[in-house]
């Protein structure tokens, strides 16, 4: 066991969470309350998932329902992070476009079975990666368009279509959303040992098996995130996803 589940773990987690909030407050980052709430929310959600996961994996309907729930929550979080108006629901498209083809490919090839013990964690990792890329890409693209609005209008004045003018400005900024995934893949094994690798080792797998699983996760995440950012950029360029 990597960590003992006892009172000591709870105390250390509480201290780390409070420390993170205090540092954010002292540095005037404006995220102290969000840090505390995120930590508490994570504790409650993981406790709930731990209780229901055994029931969910027993049959197909609740399994698929749980996967849909993960997707819906990711869409809501991503969309509301990007914009507060009614266009937030467009975040469903980049997340779905990135995750669904990869999951279908894994199921058709038999690499992942239609079983909760395999499908839920793999799908959760992919949805989480798509969520992160969608949020970063969408926020950076819209921020850039707002800051460089004059350049967009100048492009239109020169004869560019609205979509093309926005793409020229937003594309480099949106592409930055791929950097975290690229850096993680480049440094794996040298700087970090990601969760899938460590989890496989703790589960009794050989280092070679653990490395293969981790490589699969990293490559799949890059594919998912590339599609998510590309679709998000297109939505922003076409004005489907915007801010008031």
């Amino acid at each position: 066991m990597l960590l003992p589940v006892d009172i000591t773990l709870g105390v250390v987690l509480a201290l780390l969470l409070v420390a993170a909030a205090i540092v954010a407050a002292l540095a005037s980052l404006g995220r102290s309350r969000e840090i505390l709430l995120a930590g508490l929310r994570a504790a409650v959600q993981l406790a709930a998932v731990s209780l229901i996961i055994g029931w969910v994996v027993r049959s197909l309907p609740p399994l698929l329902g749980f996967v849909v729930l993960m997707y819906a929550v990711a869409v809501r979080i991503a969309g509301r992070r990007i914009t507060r108006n009614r266009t937030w629901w467009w975040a469903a498209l980049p997340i779905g476009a990135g995750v669904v083809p990869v999951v279908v490919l894994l199921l058709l090839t038999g690499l992942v079975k239609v079983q909760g013990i395999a499908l839920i964690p793999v799908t959760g990792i992919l949805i989480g990666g798509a969520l992160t890329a969608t949020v970063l890409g969408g926020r950076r693209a819209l921020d850039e368009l707002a800051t460089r609005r004059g350049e967009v209008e100048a492009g239109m004045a020169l004869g560019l279509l609205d979509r093309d003018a926005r793409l020229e400005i937003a594309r480099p900024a949106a592409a930055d959303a791929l950097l975290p995934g690229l850096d993680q893949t480049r440094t794996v094994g040298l700087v970090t040992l990601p969760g899938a690798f460590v989890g496989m080792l703790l589960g009794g797998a050989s280092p070679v098996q653990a490395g293969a699983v981790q490589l699969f996760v990293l490559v799949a995440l890059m594919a998912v995130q590339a599609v998510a950012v590309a679709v998000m950029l297109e939505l922003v360029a076409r004005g489907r996803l915007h801010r008031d």
Side-chain angles (χ1 to χ4, degrees), residues 131-162:
L131 183 155
T132 301
T134 298
V135 171
L136 291 177
R139 287 176 65 92
R140 292 285 287 115
L142 290 176
D143 288 345
E144 197 76 358
L145 289 176
T147 302
R148 301 170 62 184
R149 181 178 177 181
E151 295 178 52
V152 176
E153 294 177 349
M156 295 177 184
L158 292 174
L160 290 177
L161 297 175
D162 293 2

mmCIF file of all heavy atoms in Angstrom, residues 131-162:
data_model
loop_
_atom_site.group_PDB
_atom_site.id
_atom_site.type_symbol
_atom_site.label_atom_id
_atom_site.label_comp_id
_atom_site.label_asym_id
_atom_site.label_seq_id
_atom_site.Cartn_x
_atom_site.Cartn_y
_atom_site.Cartn_z
ATOM 1 N N LEU A 131 -10.909 17.722 -20.944
ATOM 2 C CA LEU A 131 -11.419 18.866 -20.176
ATOM 3 C C LEU A 131 -10.332 19.920 -20.020
ATOM 4 O O LEU A 131 -10.554 21.112 -20.283
ATOM 5 C CB LEU A 131 -11.906 18.386 -18.807
ATOM 6 C CG LEU A 131 -12.555 19.411 -17.872
ATOM 7 C CD1 LEU A 131 -13.489 18.714 -16.886
ATOM 8 C CD2 LEU A 131 -11.516 20.205 -17.081
ATOM 9 N N THR A 132 -9.151 19.504 -19.590
ATOM 10 C CA THR A 132 -8.055 20.447 -19.376
ATOM 11 C C THR A 132 -7.684 21.167 -20.661
ATOM 12 O O THR A 132 -7.528 22.399 -20.677
ATOM 13 C CB THR A 132 -6.822 19.711 -18.819
ATOM 14 O OG1 THR A 132 -7.154 19.085 -17.587
ATOM 15 C CG2 THR A 132 -5.666 20.669 -18.592
ATOM 16 N N ALA A 133 -7.540 20.427 -21.757
ATOM 17 C CA ALA A 133 -7.165 21.036 -23.025
ATOM 18 C C ALA A 133 -8.247 21.981 -23.537
ATOM 19 O O ALA A 133 -7.949 23.054 -24.076
ATOM 20 C CB ALA A 133 -6.887 19.951 -24.061
ATOM 21 N N THR A 134 -9.507 21.594 -23.356
ATOM 22 C CA THR A 134 -10.615 22.436 -23.803
ATOM 23 C C THR A 134 -10.654 23.751 -23.039
ATOM 24 O O THR A 134 -10.821 24.833 -23.627
ATOM 25 C CB THR A 134 -11.951 21.690 -23.639
ATOM 26 O OG1 THR A 134 -11.942 20.518 -24.451
ATOM 27 C CG2 THR A 134 -13.122 22.569 -24.043
ATOM 28 N N VAL A 135 -10.495 23.672 -21.735
ATOM 29 C CA VAL A 135 -10.517 24.885 -20.917
ATOM 30 C C VAL A 135 -9.345 25.802 -21.271
ATOM 31 O O VAL A 135 -9.526 27.009 -21.510
ATOM 32 C CB VAL A 135 -10.482 24.533 -19.413
ATOM 33 C CG1 VAL A 135 -10.270 25.787 -18.580
ATOM 34 C CG2 VAL A 135 -11.775 23.848 -19.005
ATOM 35 N N LEU A 136 -8.149 25.249 -21.297
ATOM 36 C CA LEU A 136 -6.975 26.070 -21.590
ATOM 37 C C LEU A 136 -7.048 26.658 -22.995
ATOM 38 O O LEU A 136 -6.790 27.850 -23.196
ATOM 39 C CB LEU A 136 -5.703 25.231 -21.440
ATOM 40 C CG LEU A 136 -5.331 24.789 -20.022
ATOM 41 C CD1 LEU A 136 -4.081 23.913 -20.047
ATOM 42 C CD2 LEU A 136 -5.111 25.995 -19.120
ATOM 43 N N GLY A 137 -7.405 25.825 -23.967
ATOM 44 C CA GLY A 137 -7.492 26.311 -25.337
ATOM 45 C C GLY A 137 -8.570 27.362 -25.521
ATOM 46 O O GLY A 137 -8.352 28.391 -26.173
ATOM 47 N N GLY A 138 -9.743 27.123 -24.944
ATOM 48 C CA GLY A 138 -10.842 28.073 -25.074
ATOM 49 C C GLY A 138 -10.563 29.399 -24.391
ATOM 50 O O GLY A 138 -10.800 30.469 -24.967
ATOM 51 N N ARG A 139 -10.063 29.342 -23.179
ATOM 52 C CA ARG A 139 -9.773 30.581 -22.445
ATOM 53 C C ARG A 139 -8.669 31.387 -23.125
ATOM 54 O O ARG A 139 -8.764 32.607 -23.269
ATOM 55 C CB ARG A 139 -9.378 30.250 -21.008
ATOM 56 C CG ARG A 139 -10.552 29.797 -20.145
ATOM 57 C CD ARG A 139 -10.076 29.390 -18.758
ATOM 58 N NE ARG A 139 -9.527 30.509 -18.009
ATOM 59 C CZ ARG A 139 -10.236 31.276 -17.187
ATOM 60 N NH1 ARG A 139 -11.532 31.045 -17.018
ATOM 61 N NH2 ARG A 139 -9.674 32.264 -16.536
ATOM 62 N N ARG A 140 -7.602 30.711 -23.543
ATOM 63 C CA ARG A 140 -6.504 31.426 -24.191
ATOM 64 C C ARG A 140 -6.951 32.036 -25.506
ATOM 65 O O ARG A 140 -6.579 33.167 -25.832
ATOM 66 C CB ARG A 140 -5.328 30.470 -24.418
ATOM 67 C CG ARG A 140 -4.626 30.005 -23.173
ATOM 68 C CD ARG A 140 -3.727 31.124 -22.584
ATOM 69 N NE ARG A 140 -2.552 31.312 -23.398
ATOM 70 C CZ ARG A 140 -2.291 32.438 -24.088
ATOM 71 N NH1 ARG A 140 -3.135 33.452 -24.069
ATOM 72 N NH2 ARG A 140 -1.188 32.553 -24.806
ATOM 73 N N ALA A 141 -7.744 31.301 -26.281
ATOM 74 C CA ALA A 141 -8.202 31.816 -27.568
ATOM 75 C C ALA A 141 -9.094 33.042 -27.391
ATOM 76 O O ALA A 141 -8.911 34.071 -28.067
ATOM 77 C CB ALA A 141 -8.943 30.724 -28.331
ATOM 78 N N LEU A 142 -10.053 32.964 -26.470
ATOM 79 C CA LEU A 142 -10.964 34.089 -26.265
ATOM 80 C C LEU A 142 -10.248 35.283 -25.639
ATOM 81 O O LEU A 142 -10.558 36.444 -25.967
ATOM 82 C CB LEU A 142 -12.137 33.643 -25.383
ATOM 83 C CG LEU A 142 -13.116 32.675 -26.053
ATOM 84 C CD1 LEU A 142 -14.181 32.219 -25.069
ATOM 85 C CD2 LEU A 142 -13.761 33.302 -27.279
ATOM 86 N N ASP A 143 -9.308 35.024 -24.744
ATOM 87 C CA ASP A 143 -8.527 36.130 -24.166
ATOM 88 C C ASP A 143 -7.729 36.843 -25.251
ATOM 89 O O ASP A 143 -7.652 38.084 -25.274
ATOM 90 C CB ASP A 143 -7.568 35.599 -23.092
ATOM 91 C CG ASP A 143 -8.286 35.182 -21.820
ATOM 92 O OD1 ASP A 143 -9.462 35.549 -21.649
ATOM 93 O OD2 ASP A 143 -7.667 34.473 -21.004
ATOM 94 N N GLU A 144 -7.143 36.077 -26.139
ATOM 95 C CA GLU A 144 -6.333 36.661 -27.206
ATOM 96 C C GLU A 144 -7.192 37.476 -28.166
ATOM 97 O O GLU A 144 -6.795 38.566 -28.602
ATOM 98 C CB GLU A 144 -5.611 35.544 -27.962
ATOM 99 C CG GLU A 144 -4.448 36.015 -28.816
ATOM 100 C CD GLU A 144 -3.215 36.359 -27.998
ATOM 101 O OE1 GLU A 144 -3.276 36.277 -26.750
ATOM 102 O OE2 GLU A 144 -2.189 36.697 -28.607
ATOM 103 N N LEU A 145 -8.371 36.977 -28.481
ATOM 104 C CA LEU A 145 -9.258 37.716 -29.371
ATOM 105 C C LEU A 145 -9.715 39.029 -28.737
ATOM 106 O O LEU A 145 -9.860 40.042 -29.425
ATOM 107 C CB LEU A 145 -10.474 36.854 -29.739
ATOM 108 C CG LEU A 145 -10.213 35.678 -30.675
ATOM 109 C CD1 LEU A 145 -11.480 34.861 -30.871
ATOM 110 C CD2 LEU A 145 -9.674 36.160 -32.014
ATOM 111 N N ALA A 146 -9.958 39.006 -27.434
ATOM 112 C CA ALA A 146 -10.378 40.221 -26.753
ATOM 113 C C ALA A 146 -9.243 41.241 -26.705
ATOM 114 O O ALA A 146 -9.455 42.447 -26.909
ATOM 115 C CB ALA A 146 -10.845 39.879 -25.338
ATOM 116 N N THR A 147 -8.032 40.770 -26.449
ATOM 117 C CA THR A 147 -6.884 41.672 -26.339
ATOM 118 C C THR A 147 -6.483 42.253 -27.693
ATOM 119 O O THR A 147 -6.104 43.418 -27.791
ATOM 120 C CB THR A 147 -5.678 40.918 -25.732
ATOM 121 O OG1 THR A 147 -6.048 40.392 -24.457
ATOM 122 C CG2 THR A 147 -4.481 41.848 -25.566
ATOM 123 N N ARG A 148 -6.595 41.449 -28.719
ATOM 124 C CA ARG A 148 -6.134 41.862 -30.055
ATOM 125 C C ARG A 148 -7.316 42.039 -31.010
ATOM 126 O O ARG A 148 -7.240 41.701 -32.191
ATOM 127 C CB ARG A 148 -5.155 40.823 -30.584
ATOM 128 C CG ARG A 148 -3.949 40.638 -29.692
ATOM 129 C CD ARG A 148 -3.096 39.450 -30.085
ATOM 130 N NE ARG A 148 -2.549 39.594 -31.424
ATOM 131 C CZ ARG A 148 -1.817 38.656 -32.042
ATOM 132 N NH1 ARG A 148 -1.584 37.512 -31.423
ATOM 133 N NH2 ARG A 148 -1.348 38.859 -33.264
ATOM 134 N N ARG A 149 -8.366 42.612 -30.481
ATOM 135 C CA ARG A 149 -9.577 42.799 -31.276
ATOM 136 C C ARG A 149 -9.318 43.663 -32.506
ATOM 137 O O ARG A 149 -9.864 43.425 -33.590
ATOM 138 C CB ARG A 149 -10.657 43.441 -30.405
ATOM 139 C CG ARG A 149 -11.974 43.673 -31.121
ATOM 140 C CD ARG A 149 -13.006 44.257 -30.175
ATOM 141 N NE ARG A 149 -14.263 44.547 -30.839
ATOM 142 C CZ ARG A 149 -15.324 45.074 -30.244
ATOM 143 N NH1 ARG A 149 -15.271 45.359 -28.950
ATOM 144 N NH2 ARG A 149 -16.433 45.314 -30.921
ATOM 145 N N GLY A 150 -8.463 44.660 -32.339
ATOM 146 C CA GLY A 150 -8.152 45.551 -33.461
ATOM 147 C C GLY A 150 -7.498 44.818 -34.611
ATOM 148 O O GLY A 150 -7.776 45.110 -35.787
ATOM 149 N N GLU A 151 -6.657 43.852 -34.296
ATOM 150 C CA GLU A 151 -6.002 43.086 -35.348
ATOM 151 C C GLU A 151 -7.001 42.198 -36.090
ATOM 152 O O GLU A 151 -6.877 41.986 -37.299
ATOM 153 C CB GLU A 151 -4.884 42.232 -34.755
ATOM 154 C CG GLU A 151 -3.739 43.052 -34.153
ATOM 155 C CD GLU A 151 -2.669 42.175 -33.537
ATOM 156 O OE1 GLU A 151 -2.187 41.266 -34.237
ATOM 157 O OE2 GLU A 151 -2.332 42.390 -32.362
ATOM 158 N N VAL A 152 -7.964 41.682 -35.369
ATOM 159 C CA VAL A 152 -9.001 40.880 -36.007
ATOM 160 C C VAL A 152 -9.794 41.747 -36.983
ATOM 161 O O VAL A 152 -10.049 41.353 -38.133
ATOM 162 C CB VAL A 152 -9.946 40.265 -34.956
ATOM 163 C CG1 VAL A 152 -11.084 39.512 -35.645
ATOM 164 C CG2 VAL A 152 -9.185 39.325 -34.031
ATOM 165 N N GLU A 153 -10.174 42.928 -36.543
ATOM 166 C CA GLU A 153 -10.937 43.832 -37.405
ATOM 167 C C GLU A 153 -10.107 44.287 -38.603
ATOM 168 O O GLU A 153 -10.640 44.465 -39.707
ATOM 169 C CB GLU A 153 -11.406 45.031 -36.589
ATOM 170 C CG GLU A 153 -12.421 44.657 -35.506
ATOM 171 C CD GLU A 153 -12.824 45.834 -34.644
ATOM 172 O OE1 GLU A 153 -12.162 46.896 -34.747
ATOM 173 O OE2 GLU A 153 -13.793 45.698 -33.875
ATOM 174 N N ALA A 154 -8.799 44.458 -38.386
ATOM 175 C CA ALA A 154 -7.926 44.842 -39.501
ATOM 176 C C ALA A 154 -7.871 43.723 -40.542
ATOM 177 O O ALA A 154 -7.884 43.984 -41.759
ATOM 178 C CB ALA A 154 -6.526 45.146 -38.976
ATOM 179 N N GLY A 155 -7.806 42.492 -40.077
ATOM 180 C CA GLY A 155 -7.811 41.367 -41.005
ATOM 181 C C GLY A 155 -9.090 41.311 -41.815
ATOM 182 O O GLY A 155 -9.072 41.028 -43.022
ATOM 183 N N MET A 156 -10.227 41.568 -41.151
ATOM 184 C CA MET A 156 -11.498 41.598 -41.864
ATOM 185 C C MET A 156 -11.525 42.724 -42.892
ATOM 186 O O MET A 156 -12.052 42.565 -44.001
ATOM 187 C CB MET A 156 -12.643 41.772 -40.874
ATOM 188 C CG MET A 156 -12.819 40.613 -39.917
ATOM 189 S SD MET A 156 -14.152 40.938 -38.724
ATOM 190 C CE MET A 156 -14.038 39.467 -37.686
ATOM 191 N N ALA A 157 -10.952 43.861 -42.513
ATOM 192 C CA ALA A 157 -10.930 44.999 -43.431
ATOM 193 C C ALA A 157 -10.094 44.695 -44.675
ATOM 194 O O ALA A 157 -10.351 45.234 -45.756
ATOM 195 C CB ALA A 157 -10.370 46.230 -42.721
ATOM 196 N N LEU A 158 -9.110 43.815 -44.512
ATOM 197 C CA LEU A 158 -8.266 43.442 -45.649
ATOM 198 C C LEU A 158 -8.899 42.371 -46.529
ATOM 199 O O LEU A 158 -8.319 41.963 -47.531
ATOM 200 C CB LEU A 158 -6.904 42.951 -45.144
ATOM 201 C CG LEU A 158 -6.018 44.020 -44.502
ATOM 202 C CD1 LEU A 158 -4.765 43.386 -43.905
ATOM 203 C CD2 LEU A 158 -5.637 45.091 -45.524
ATOM 204 N N GLY A 159 -10.070 41.891 -46.126
ATOM 205 C CA GLY A 159 -10.788 40.933 -46.951
ATOM 206 C C GLY A 159 -10.859 39.525 -46.407
ATOM 207 O O GLY A 159 -11.449 38.644 -47.053
ATOM 208 N N LEU A 160 -10.280 39.282 -45.236
ATOM 209 C CA LEU A 160 -10.373 37.954 -44.649
ATOM 210 C C LEU A 160 -11.778 37.692 -44.125
ATOM 211 O O LEU A 160 -12.455 38.616 -43.675
ATOM 212 C CB LEU A 160 -9.376 37.818 -43.487
ATOM 213 C CG LEU A 160 -7.889 37.761 -43.828
ATOM 214 C CD1 LEU A 160 -7.072 37.693 -42.540
ATOM 215 C CD2 LEU A 160 -7.581 36.568 -44.718
ATOM 216 N N LEU A 161 -12.212 36.461 -44.239
ATOM 217 C CA LEU A 161 -13.477 36.083 -43.624
ATOM 218 C C LEU A 161 -13.362 36.202 -42.109
ATOM 219 O O LEU A 161 -12.257 36.139 -41.546
ATOM 220 C CB LEU A 161 -13.843 34.645 -44.001
ATOM 221 C CG LEU A 161 -14.075 34.364 -45.491
ATOM 222 C CD1 LEU A 161 -14.317 32.873 -45.701
ATOM 223 C CD2 LEU A 161 -15.238 35.183 -46.025
ATOM 224 N N ASP A 162 -14.508 36.385 -41.438
ATOM 225 C CA ASP A 162 -14.485 36.509 -39.979
ATOM 226 C C ASP A 162 -13.745 35.333 -39.341
ATOM 227 O O ASP A 162 -12.921 35.505 -38.447
ATOM 228 C CB ASP A 162 -15.922 36.569 -39.436
ATOM 229 C CG ASP A 162 -16.633 37.846 -39.854
ATOM 230 O OD1 ASP A 162 -16.014 38.642 -40.589
ATOM 231 O OD2 ASP A 162 -17.781 38.043 -39.438
#
